[in-house]
Amino acid sequence: MIKKLTLVLLCLSMAGCAGGYVYGKKTKGRFEPVEKCREIAYALIPVQQQQEEEGIWILVEYLPEENLKNIFLDKKIYGTYAGKNPYPDGMIVMKVRIENKTESRIFINPGDFVLLDELGTQYLYISPERIKEIYEAKSSVYNFTKSTSSLAPGIYGAPLDMAKGLAGRGLKKKFALLKSIELSGGYLYPGVVYDGYLCFLKPNSKAKDVKLIMSNIKTSFDVNDEALGRIDFKFDFKHE
């Protein structure tokens, strides 16, 4: 029994940033490690910028890691979900506010949004579902207990089930929080102000120019619900 508990504690201590690497996909389609996520300080300027086109107003705010830590500690906003920053290491997070000042509904899809850098790397939007998969892949204890706890006989299965439950509850809490704050896709009707968070892999620290492209925002529709207009927003950042 003591041996099994020791094994569980060892597995718990192993959970974390798998190898410390963040992976990026270059435009030619090859994956390669581009950074060690725990060792590279990162910041973008300007922290906040805004644009308005064709009656659509968008404010984008880059959120440094220190800011994120403080934001999610606020129990008045997040209640029982308040606590540790739910985003994994090696991510970049932006808060977006959109106001529809037109006389027609508009449609947004964060899956169409990307970050680009001058090194030829394109970083796709990462949804809460994808972040959940990343946590599961990085957490050795969660994967270990998920696959073995049901196979462990008698009293030896109990500590493994306990570890699985602890790891699973923490992941569910993170996922629930991420779902509640994400910039989800859908229609925005006239006069609506909507905000949420976007997440991408942290760009290569060697890149000095980073561009957020919020593309394919649909601006009007015909009687068959087909988009009549589309607009792209581009926000230019400098890596300090």
Side-chain angles (χ1 to χ4, degrees):
M1 181 68 171
I2 294 176
K3 182 179 179 181
K4 291 294 180 180
L5 286 173
T6 302
L7 177 60
V8 171
L9 293 174
L10 177 61
C11 291
L12 284 169
S13 68
M14 291 169 59
C17 187
Y21 284 101
V22 175
Y23 284 81
K25 185 176 182 180
K26 291 198 171 181
T27 52
K28 58 186 177 183
R30 186 177 66 180
F31 282 91
E32 62 180 11
V34 293
E35 296 288 3
K36 278 201 169 184
C37 65
R38 293 189 187 278
E39 299 177 3
I40 304 296
Y42 198 88
L44 293 177
I45 54 173
V47 172
Q48 191 178 95
Q49 52 184 300
Q50 59 183 302
Q51 292 181 25
E52 184 173 341
E53 296 285 344
E54 299 182 15
I56 302 171
W57 175 83
I58 298 181
L59 173 70
V60 174
E61 181 182 3
Y62 164 66
L63 298 174
E65 292 181 15
E66 286 302 317
N67 292 35
L68 286 172
K69 291 178 182 178
N70 295 329
I71 287 171
F72 293 109
L73 289 174
D74 193 337
K75 292 186 177 181
K76 291 181 180 179
I77 297 176
Y78 300 108
T80 58
Y81 292 111
K84 187 178 180 181
N85 171 15
Y87 290 99
D89 294 318
M91 302 292 170
I92 186 171
V93 180
M94 296 185 179
K95 185 177 181 180
V96 176
R97 173 163 290 188
I98 303 174
E99 182 176 356
N100 182 5
K101 298 181 179 182
T102 74
E103 296 181 356
S104 171
R105 58 184 173 150
I106 63 175
F107 185 87
I108 64 169
N109 177 18
D112 292 332
F113 301 166
V114 298
L115 282 183
L116 300 176
D117 65 30
E118 85 276 15
L119 301 179
T121 310
Q122 177 172 303
Y123 307 88
L124 305 181
Y125 164 69
I126 302 176
S127 67
E129 288 77 13
R130 182 69 183 111
I131 293 174
K132 182 173 181 287
E133 293 175 0
I134 291 170
Y135 271 121
E136 289 177 347
K138 293 198 312 183
S139 175
S140 57
V141 63
Y142 185 79
N143 285 324
F144 176 77
T145 57
K146 184 170 64 173
S147 62
T148 62
S149 62
S150 60
L151 302 177
I155 60 172
Y156 299 112
L160 295 178
D161 283 331
M162 178 185 67
K164 177 183 176 182
L166 291 172
R169 282 197 297 273
L171 183 56
K172 288 179 181 178
K173 182 176 179 179
K174 285 189 177 75
F175 181 68
L177 178 55
L178 289 167
K179 287 296 290 182
S180 72
I181 64 175
E182 71 168 326
L183 187 77
S184 57
Y187 291 104
L188 273 68
Y189 287 83
V192 169
V193 179
Y194 174 57
D195 58 17
Y197 289 71
L198 293 175
C199 177
F200 303 89
L201 285 179
K202 185 182 295 181
N204 194 315
S205 64
K206 296 178 181 178
K208 299 304 179 183
D209 298 306
V210 177
K211 187 187 302 290
L212 170 64
I213 300 180
M214 301 175 63
S215 64
N216 200 30
I217 296 178
K218 299 174 182 178
T219 57
S220 59
F221 302 86
D222 62 18
V223 293
N224 296 316
D225 209 31
E226 294 292 333
L228 297 174
R230 293 177 172 82
I231 188 170
D232 294 350
F233 284 80
K234 299 178 182 179
F235 297 89
D236 295 310
F237 294 89
K238 291 288 186 182
H239 173 222
E240 290 184 313

